[in-house]
Amino acid sequence: MNATLKDAGCASTAYRSNRKTPEPADSPQQSALFRKSWTMGQPLPKGKLSGLVPPGFLETWHPQRLRQYEEIEERKGITELEERHTYHGRLDEECLRYATLPRVSWALLWMQHGGRLLFTWLLPLFAVAMAILWFQVRENETFKSFFWDGIFPFLAYFFLPMLLCWGIGRFLEKKYPKVVYQVPKGPLWELNRRTGMVTLFKDPEKEGQSGEVRGQAPFHEWDGYLLSLPDHQGNIWYRLVLVHKTREWALPMNQLLAATTNREDVLAYWDLVRQYMDVTKPLPDIPLFEAWRHLDPTTAEYDRKKGRDPQYWRNMDEEDYEDFKRKNRTALASFSW
């Protein structure tokens, strides 16, 4: 967090909300099936920003996490600025670049947490069921035969594998974290504030495709859509998707903010993305970007004029932060979207 300011000039393609942007040169190349799949949701406006924050961002990136990062840096003897260039994912003043763990990492995590959830949820139900069954058959059968014929097979062939998956996964995560949390092979997408470009990458899991661009266009050529999908219980789930105006490129943005039943959360997310990409405006003032604010010239000038404490979020106590989250949630619900 003690990184020095470097050349932070913005490209001519950088998104600026105060200028008229040209329409894409390409003629529409989208099929009816593509448009039905990705653009049937509510199109989102590019007008005035709400200034509100998706609650998920405040839950994931919070003051305590900033302090934890600082402690990790001190132990390693490095700064985030030095470390971030060795990692395929970035969330800073230059770009939002998302990279997911390799498939083997996800398999190990699913093995551990799937085994844990199934074991802890199903074992109590099994115990209750066996207890009820025992009281029904105990007059005609000994407990020993009941155990070996009715209980043991379930324990050996059903619950023991769950317990082993949980235990082995937890052991690897604790003792050999690099085996579980392997370095991503490459990014999946990127929103670059300085260049204004939205980039889709090819599947990094495929041989020779890591880091290769699948599609790229300036942010003003993308529209935001509020997609909604009901679940089996009738709840409506919302998520943000960026769709190119002419090409068959769609970018679901649910990696940073998962699908939610609160429509206003996604609308605030769209506003946050637009503010982040707009170089005429400062970075959104949330804990996630505090370490990088001084590296963005627009944000640094804004903070200087406002007299903003560089460690405003870093030094905020938990009580004040909880109060901020409550006010933000109330404002989200009452805002005229």
Side-chain angles (χ1 to χ4, degrees), residues 35-296:
R35 296 201 62 81
K36 184 176 181 180
S37 300
W38 295 106
T39 66
M40 294 300 286
Q42 175 187 343
L44 299 175
K46 289 187 178 180
K48 185 177 179 181
L49 297 171
S50 66
L52 301 173
V53 187
F57 273 67
L58 300 177
E59 294 292 344
T60 304
W61 295 281
H62 45 78
Q64 185 179 1
R65 190 167 184 177
L66 297 182
R67 293 189 286 269
Q68 290 171 348
Y69 282 161
E70 193 173 76
E71 293 174 1
I72 293 173
E73 287 180 12
E74 291 176 355
R75 289 201 305 268
K76 289 183 176 180
I78 62 173
T79 67
E80 285 190 67
L81 184 60
E82 294 170 339
E83 186 179 51
R84 63 179 172 164
H85 295 295
T86 65
Y87 187 65
H88 292 291
R90 289 175 60 180
L91 302 171
D92 54 33
E93 89 294 345
E94 183 175 335
C95 66
L96 303 179
R97 182 188 301 154
Y98 178 77
T100 188
L101 293 170
R103 291 193 182 102
V104 64
S105 295
W106 284 114
L108 291 171
L109 289 170
W110 275 109
M111 179 185 77
Q112 177 193 168
H113 296 292
R116 174 178 61 84
L117 291 173
L118 289 174
F119 184 84
T120 54
W121 288 357
L122 296 181
L123 185 61
L125 296 177
F126 175 75
V128 171
M130 289 297 101
I132 295 173
L133 183 60
W134 165 245
F135 281 107
Q136 292 178 346
V137 304
R138 61 180 178 174
E139 294 181 357
N140 303 318
E141 189 174 2
T142 65
F143 181 77
K144 182 177 180 180
S145 63
F146 177 75
F147 175 82
W148 288 108
D149 294 338
I151 299 178
F152 180 77
F154 282 95
L155 295 178
Y157 302 113
F158 190 67
F159 289 103
L160 181 59
M162 295 180 195
L163 187 60
L164 288 175
C165 287
W166 179 11
I168 293 172
R170 179 58 181 161
F171 173 79
L172 290 175
E173 184 181 37
K174 190 173 182 64
K175 296 296 183 180
Y176 304 99
K178 290 184 178 180
V179 173
V180 178
Y181 299 104
Q182 298 183 20
V183 177
K185 295 181 179 180
L188 295 179
W189 55 263
E190 176 185 289
L191 272 64
N192 195 297
R193 175 176 166 91
R194 293 184 183 177
T195 66
M197 303 300 286
V198 177
T199 305
L200 308 180
F201 295 95
K202 294 182 179 179
D203 186 356
E205 292 284 347
K206 293 184 178 179
E207 187 67 28
Q209 291 192 5
S210 177
E212 289 191 12
V213 174
R214 177 167 62 90
Q216 185 178 68
F219 180 68
H220 68 261
E221 293 187 5
W222 299 76
D223 292 323
Y225 287 88
L226 178 71
L227 292 196
S228 58
L229 185 69
D231 61 18
H232 296 297
Q233 286 75 39
N235 299 312
I236 303 298
W237 292 82
Y238 300 96
R239 62 174 176 164
L240 172 65
V241 178
L242 302 187
V243 181
H244 192 263
K245 293 181 178 180
T246 61
R247 305 293 296 272
E248 288 196 346
W249 296 336
L251 173 55
M253 296 289 292
N254 51 292
Q255 293 93 347
L256 300 185
L257 182 71
T260 172
T261 55
N262 296 314
R263 173 177 171 271
E264 62 272 13
D265 292 4
V266 180
L267 298 177
Y269 185 26
W270 170 237
D271 279 1
L272 185 145
V273 169
R274 289 195 296 130
Q275 181 175 345
Y276 176 86
M277 291 298 289
D278 189 352
V279 295
T280 68
K281 294 181 171 58
L283 291 168
D285 198 352
I286 57 177
L288 171 61
F289 297 122
E290 181 159 83
W292 320 113
R293 294 182 67 85
H294 67 290
L295 296 175
D296 181 77

